[in-house]
PDB file of all heavy atoms in Angstrom:
ATOM      1  N   ARG A   9      29.021  -2.029   1.997  1.00 91.00           N
ATOM      2  CA  ARG A   9      28.308  -2.396   3.238  1.00 91.00           C
ATOM      3  C   ARG A   9      27.050  -3.106   2.835  1.00 91.00           C
ATOM      4  O   ARG A   9      26.429  -2.662   1.868  1.00 91.00           O
ATOM      5  CB  ARG A   9      27.916  -1.211   4.146  1.00 91.00           C
ATOM      6  CG  ARG A   9      29.097  -0.613   4.994  1.00 91.00           C
ATOM      7  CD  ARG A   9      28.537   0.312   6.028  1.00 91.00           C
ATOM      8  NE  ARG A   9      27.917   1.475   5.343  1.00 91.00           N
ATOM      9  CZ  ARG A   9      26.835   2.143   5.825  1.00 91.00           C
ATOM     10  NH1 ARG A   9      26.264   1.774   6.931  1.00 91.00           N
ATOM     11  NH2 ARG A   9      26.346   3.210   5.170  1.00 91.00           N
ATOM     12  N   GLN A  27      17.059  10.304   0.513  1.00 91.00           N
ATOM     13  CA  GLN A  27      16.430  10.193   1.823  1.00 91.00           C
ATOM     14  C   GLN A  27      15.223  10.965   2.073  1.00 91.00           C
ATOM     15  O   GLN A  27      15.164  12.201   1.639  1.00 91.00           O
ATOM     16  CB  GLN A  27      17.485  10.555   2.915  1.00 91.00           C
ATOM     17  CG  GLN A  27      18.654   9.626   3.125  1.00 91.00           C
ATOM     18  CD  GLN A  27      18.252   8.456   3.948  1.00 91.00           C
ATOM     19  OE1 GLN A  27      17.053   8.353   4.416  1.00 91.00           O
ATOM     20  NE2 GLN A  27      19.220   7.522   4.160  1.00 91.00           N
ATOM     21  N   GLN A  29      12.893  13.034   4.526  1.00 81.00           N
ATOM     22  CA  GLN A  29      13.111  13.751   5.776  1.00 81.00           C
ATOM     23  C   GLN A  29      11.802  13.749   6.641  1.00 81.00           C
ATOM     24  O   GLN A  29      10.706  14.052   6.042  1.00 81.00           O
ATOM     25  CB  GLN A  29      13.525  15.168   5.543  1.00 81.00           C
ATOM     26  CG  GLN A  29      14.889  15.306   4.838  1.00 81.00           C
ATOM     27  CD  GLN A  29      16.004  14.742   5.657  1.00 81.00           C
ATOM     28  OE1 GLN A  29      15.922  14.758   6.930  1.00 81.00           O
ATOM     29  NE2 GLN A  29      17.028  14.243   5.010  1.00 81.00           N
ATOM     30  N   ALA A  64       6.073  28.448  -0.710  1.00 89.00           N
ATOM     31  CA  ALA A  64       5.026  28.521  -1.788  1.00 89.00           C
ATOM     32  C   ALA A  64       5.593  28.433  -3.174  1.00 89.00           C
ATOM     33  O   ALA A  64       5.138  27.738  -4.053  1.00 89.00           O
ATOM     34  CB  ALA A  64       4.203  29.802  -1.614  1.00 89.00           C
ATOM     35  N   ARG A 141       2.723  23.879   7.562  1.00 88.00           N
ATOM     36  CA  ARG A 141       3.344  24.060   8.831  1.00 88.00           C
ATOM     37  C   ARG A 141       4.693  23.459   8.929  1.00 88.00           C
ATOM     38  O   ARG A 141       5.706  24.132   9.367  1.00 88.00           O
ATOM     39  CB  ARG A 141       2.390  23.521   9.937  1.00 88.00           C
ATOM     40  CG  ARG A 141       3.064  23.595  11.333  1.00 88.00           C
ATOM     41  CD  ARG A 141       2.293  22.674  12.282  1.00 88.00           C
ATOM     42  NE  ARG A 141       2.328  21.270  11.857  1.00 88.00           N
ATOM     43  CZ  ARG A 141       1.544  20.338  12.303  1.00 88.00           C
ATOM     44  NH1 ARG A 141       0.597  20.541  13.173  1.00 88.00           N
ATOM     45  NH2 ARG A 141       1.668  19.134  11.845  1.00 88.00           N
ATOM     46  N   ARG A 161      16.385  12.645 -10.663  1.00 92.00           N
ATOM     47  CA  ARG A 161      16.782  11.542 -11.461  1.00 92.00           C
ATOM     48  C   ARG A 161      16.172  10.212 -10.754  1.00 92.00           C
ATOM     49  O   ARG A 161      15.765  10.348  -9.623  1.00 92.00           O
ATOM     50  CB  ARG A 161      18.352  11.501 -11.357  1.00 92.00           C
ATOM     51  CG  ARG A 161      18.873  11.431  -9.962  1.00 92.00           C
ATOM     52  CD  ARG A 161      20.382  11.327  -9.993  1.00 92.00           C
ATOM     53  NE  ARG A 161      20.996  11.356  -8.627  1.00 92.00           N
ATOM     54  CZ  ARG A 161      22.249  11.120  -8.300  1.00 92.00           C
ATOM     55  NH1 ARG A 161      23.065  10.702  -9.244  1.00 92.00           N
ATOM     56  NH2 ARG A 161      22.672  11.253  -7.039  1.00 92.00           N
ATOM     57  N   ALA A 176       1.661   5.993  -2.124  1.00 55.00           N
ATOM     58  CA  ALA A 176       0.804   6.146  -3.303  1.00 55.00           C
ATOM     59  C   ALA A 176       0.972   7.279  -4.176  1.00 55.00           C
ATOM     60  O   ALA A 176       0.704   7.298  -5.350  1.00 55.00           O
ATOM     61  CB  ALA A 176      -0.627   5.996  -2.860  1.00 55.00           C
ATOM     62  N   VAL A 210      12.157  -3.823   3.612  1.00 89.00           N
ATOM     63  CA  VAL A 210      11.707  -3.217   4.900  1.00 89.00           C
ATOM     64  C   VAL A 210      12.587  -3.779   6.013  1.00 89.00           C
ATOM     65  O   VAL A 210      13.322  -4.752   5.801  1.00 89.00           O
ATOM     66  CB  VAL A 210      10.281  -3.421   5.175  1.00 89.00           C
ATOM     67  CG1 VAL A 210       9.401  -2.776   4.021  1.00 89.00           C
ATOM     68  CG2 VAL A 210       9.921  -4.873   5.303  1.00 89.00           C
ATOM     69  N   GLY A 214      19.791   0.793   9.903  1.00 93.00           N
ATOM     70  CA  GLY A 214      20.827   1.651   9.421  1.00 93.00           C
ATOM     71  C   GLY A 214      20.522   2.339   8.103  1.00 93.00           C
ATOM     72  O   GLY A 214      21.281   3.112   7.571  1.00 93.00           O
ATOM     73  N   ASP A 236      27.560   0.827  -2.923  1.00 94.00           N
ATOM     74  CA  ASP A 236      28.628   0.683  -3.971  1.00 94.00           C
ATOM     75  C   ASP A 236      28.748  -0.667  -4.574  1.00 94.00           C
ATOM     76  O   ASP A 236      29.830  -1.339  -4.491  1.00 94.00           O
ATOM     77  CB  ASP A 236      30.038   1.139  -3.367  1.00 94.00           C
ATOM     78  CG  ASP A 236      29.925   2.474  -2.805  1.00 94.00           C
ATOM     79  OD1 ASP A 236      29.510   3.411  -3.523  1.00 94.00           O
ATOM     80  OD2 ASP A 236      30.406   2.711  -1.585  1.00 94.00           O
ATOM     81  N   GLU A 252      13.107 -11.846 -16.187  1.00 84.00           N
ATOM     82  CA  GLU A 252      11.777 -11.346 -15.939  1.00 84.00           C
ATOM     83  C   GLU A 252      11.119 -10.741 -17.226  1.00 84.00           C
ATOM     84  O   GLU A 252       9.956 -11.023 -17.557  1.00 84.00           O
ATOM     85  CB  GLU A 252      11.859 -10.326 -14.843  1.00 84.00           C
ATOM     86  CG  GLU A 252      10.536  -9.760 -14.461  1.00 84.00           C
ATOM     87  CD  GLU A 252      10.653  -8.787 -13.235  1.00 84.00           C
ATOM     88  OE1 GLU A 252      11.321  -9.112 -12.294  1.00 84.00           O
ATOM     89  OE2 GLU A 252      10.138  -7.715 -13.380  1.00 84.00           O
ATOM     90  N   VAL A 270      -6.559 -21.000 -14.069  1.00 98.00           N
ATOM     91  CA  VAL A 270      -6.301 -20.285 -12.835  1.00 98.00           C
ATOM     92  C   VAL A 270      -6.197 -18.763 -13.210  1.00 98.00           C
ATOM     93  O   VAL A 270      -5.282 -18.348 -13.848  1.00 98.00           O
ATOM     94  CB  VAL A 270      -4.948 -20.709 -12.090  1.00 98.00           C
ATOM     95  CG1 VAL A 270      -4.864 -19.923 -10.769  1.00 98.00           C
ATOM     96  CG2 VAL A 270      -4.949 -22.245 -11.854  1.00 98.00           C
ATOM     97  N   LEU A 303      -7.860   7.877   2.259  1.00 68.00           N
ATOM     98  CA  LEU A 303      -6.753   8.306   3.106  1.00 68.00           C
ATOM     99  C   LEU A 303      -6.388   9.773   3.030  1.00 68.00           C
ATOM    100  O   LEU A 303      -6.594  10.440   2.036  1.00 68.00           O
ATOM    101  CB  LEU A 303      -5.487   7.489   2.637  1.00 68.00           C
ATOM    102  CG  LEU A 303      -5.448   5.946   2.873  1.00 68.00           C
ATOM    103  CD1 LEU A 303      -4.320   5.298   2.177  1.00 68.00           C
ATOM    104  CD2 LEU A 303      -5.479   5.690   4.369  1.00 68.00           C
ATOM    105  N   LYS A 341      -4.623   1.783   9.043  1.00 56.00           N
ATOM    106  CA  LYS A 341      -5.185   2.752   8.076  1.00 56.00           C
ATOM    107  C   LYS A 341      -6.195   3.547   8.701  1.00 56.00           C
ATOM    108  O   LYS A 341      -7.376   3.540   8.381  1.00 56.00           O
ATOM    109  CB  LYS A 341      -5.754   1.924   6.895  1.00 56.00           C
ATOM    110  CG  LYS A 341      -4.751   1.160   6.101  1.00 56.00           C
ATOM    111  CD  LYS A 341      -5.400   0.083   5.131  1.00 56.00           C
ATOM    112  CE  LYS A 341      -5.946  -1.013   5.874  1.00 56.00           C
ATOM    113  NZ  LYS A 341      -6.529  -2.028   4.949  1.00 56.00           N
ATOM    114  N   LEU A 363     -17.215  -1.227  10.592  1.00 88.00           N
ATOM    115  CA  LEU A 363     -17.560   0.212  10.643  1.00 88.00           C
ATOM    116  C   LEU A 363     -19.033   0.384  10.440  1.00 88.00           C
ATOM    117  O   LEU A 363     -19.554   1.459  10.772  1.00 88.00           O
ATOM    118  CB  LEU A 363     -16.802   0.973   9.569  1.00 88.00           C
ATOM    119  CG  LEU A 363     -15.313   1.266   9.844  1.00 88.00           C
ATOM    120  CD1 LEU A 363     -14.635   1.789   8.519  1.00 88.00           C
ATOM    121  CD2 LEU A 363     -15.157   2.272  10.986  1.00 88.00           C
ATOM    122  N   ALA A 376     -23.754   2.534  -3.002  1.00 97.00           N
ATOM    123  CA  ALA A 376     -24.533   3.351  -3.997  1.00 97.00           C
ATOM    124  C   ALA A 376     -23.620   3.797  -5.089  1.00 97.00           C
ATOM    125  O   ALA A 376     -24.014   3.805  -6.266  1.00 97.00           O
ATOM    126  CB  ALA A 376     -25.242   4.492  -3.245  1.00 97.00           C
ATOM    127  N   TRP A 390     -17.354  -7.168  -9.184  1.00 98.00           N
ATOM    128  CA  TRP A 390     -17.525  -8.070  -8.035  1.00 98.00           C
ATOM    129  C   TRP A 390     -17.256  -7.268  -6.797  1.00 98.00           C
ATOM    130  O   TRP A 390     -16.166  -6.600  -6.827  1.00 98.00           O
ATOM    131  CB  TRP A 390     -16.572  -9.262  -8.195  1.00 98.00           C
ATOM    132  CG  TRP A 390     -16.797 -10.213  -9.380  1.00 98.00           C
ATOM    133  CD1 TRP A 390     -17.215  -9.858 -10.600  1.00 98.00           C
ATOM    134  CD2 TRP A 390     -16.640 -11.622  -9.399  1.00 98.00           C
ATOM    135  NE1 TRP A 390     -17.279 -10.946 -11.443  1.00 98.00           N
ATOM    136  CE2 TRP A 390     -16.953 -12.055 -10.692  1.00 98.00           C
ATOM    137  CE3 TRP A 390     -16.287 -12.558  -8.421  1.00 98.00           C
ATOM    138  CZ2 TRP A 390     -16.873 -13.367 -11.051  1.00 98.00           C
ATOM    139  CZ3 TRP A 390     -16.197 -13.902  -8.811  1.00 98.00           C
ATOM    140  CH2 TRP A 390     -16.467 -14.281 -10.142  1.00 98.00           C
ATOM    141  N   ARG A 408     -27.245  -5.836   1.683  1.00 97.00           N
ATOM    142  CA  ARG A 408     -27.006  -4.404   1.464  1.00 97.00           C
ATOM    143  C   ARG A 408     -26.513  -4.179   0.022  1.00 97.00           C
ATOM    144  O   ARG A 408     -26.961  -3.295  -0.754  1.00 97.00           O
ATOM    145  CB  ARG A 408     -26.042  -3.826   2.444  1.00 97.00           C
ATOM    146  CG  ARG A 408     -26.452  -3.750   3.910  1.00 97.00           C
ATOM    147  CD  ARG A 408     -25.385  -3.352   4.855  1.00 97.00           C
ATOM    148  NE  ARG A 408     -25.722  -3.336   6.241  1.00 97.00           N
ATOM    149  CZ  ARG A 408     -26.136  -2.289   6.876  1.00 97.00           C
ATOM    150  NH1 ARG A 408     -26.174  -1.111   6.256  1.00 97.00           N
ATOM    151  NH2 ARG A 408     -26.472  -2.348   8.164  1.00 97.00           N
ATOM    152  N   PRO A 424      -9.697 -16.027  11.198  1.00 97.00           N
ATOM    153  CA  PRO A 424      -9.738 -17.508  11.399  1.00 97.00           C
ATOM    154  C   PRO A 424     -11.146 -18.096  11.498  1.00 97.00           C
ATOM    155  O   PRO A 424     -11.466 -19.095  10.951  1.00 97.00           O
ATOM    156  CB  PRO A 424      -8.795 -17.767  12.581  1.00 97.00           C
ATOM    157  CG  PRO A 424      -7.814 -16.578  12.507  1.00 97.00           C
ATOM    158  CD  PRO A 424      -8.582 -15.470  12.040  1.00 97.00           C
ATOM    159  N   ASP A 474      -3.361 -24.425   6.902  1.00 98.00           N
ATOM    160  CA  ASP A 474      -4.549 -25.250   7.266  1.00 98.00           C
ATOM    161  C   ASP A 474      -5.863 -24.389   7.064  1.00 98.00           C
ATOM    162  O   ASP A 474      -6.806 -24.941   6.585  1.00 98.00           O
ATOM    163  CB  ASP A 474      -4.407 -25.626   8.680  1.00 98.00           C
ATOM    164  CG  ASP A 474      -3.430 -26.729   8.966  1.00 98.00           C
ATOM    165  OD1 ASP A 474      -3.112 -27.389   7.951  1.00 98.00           O
ATOM    166  OD2 ASP A 474      -3.038 -27.019  10.109  1.00 98.00           O
ATOM    167  N   VAL A 561       9.840 -28.638 -11.051  1.00 96.00           N
ATOM    168  CA  VAL A 561      10.568 -29.141 -12.190  1.00 96.00           C
ATOM    169  C   VAL A 561      11.833 -28.336 -12.377  1.00 96.00           C
ATOM    170  O   VAL A 561      11.878 -27.072 -12.053  1.00 96.00           O
ATOM    171  CB  VAL A 561       9.694 -29.136 -13.458  1.00 96.00           C
ATOM    172  CG1 VAL A 561       8.505 -29.896 -13.308  1.00 96.00           C
ATOM    173  CG2 VAL A 561       9.332 -27.645 -13.813  1.00 96.00           C
TER     174      VAL A 561
END
Side-chain angles (χ1 to χ4, degrees):
R9 280 190 300 146
Q27 287 281 358
Q29 296 296 331
R141 172 196 62 196
R161 58 177 174 169
V210 299
D236 300 310
E252 184 175 309
V270 181
L303 291 172
K341 293 167 288 185
L363 283 168
W390 296 37
R408 291 172 184 266
D474 284 342
V561 299

